[in-house]
Amino acid sequence: MYKNRAPDGKRNLCGTQVAALRKAKKPKLSQRGLADLLQLGGLDVDKNAVQRIESGQRFVTDIELKALAQALGATVEELLEP
């Protein structure tokens, strides 16, 4: 039976990289700050959604993945790297 989760049980592949790239920004970008950037890009995402994405508790759509990459100054491929 197909399971809609990563091998480690998380619901997305990008959460760890999103957190790492967000924390590496200079000046450091908060989860709320990232949510604000995503909202400016047209996504209905709040701080709690960012926290759930980073912890792997929330699925991420392709539209959200592209917006996350743009907000973090990264490529979609970078977000999907282990």
Side-chain angles (χ1 to χ4, degrees), residues 1-21:
M1 185 170 143
Y2 179 75
K3 295 189 180 189
N4 205 10
R5 296 184 188 251
D8 60 4
K10 293 185 177 182
R11 294 182 179 181
N12 65 56
L13 298 172
C14 67
T16 305
Q17 280 297 97
V18 168
L21 289 169

Side-chain angles (χ1 to χ4, degrees), residues 36-82:
D36 290 346
L37 287 175
L38 294 171
Q39 288 174 1
L40 289 172
L43 291 182
D44 185 22
V45 176
D46 64 6
K47 176 211 170 280
N48 294 325
V50 172
Q51 188 276 328
R52 290 192 314 273
I53 289 169
E54 290 182 355
S55 66
Q57 298 173 353
R58 184 180 181 280
F59 291 108
V60 177
T61 67
D62 55 351
I63 294 166
E64 292 170 331
L65 189 64
K66 184 176 177 184
L68 282 164
Q70 289 175 340
L72 294 168
T75 65
V76 170
E77 291 79 16
E78 286 176 299
L79 292 183
L80 297 175
E81 289 177 0

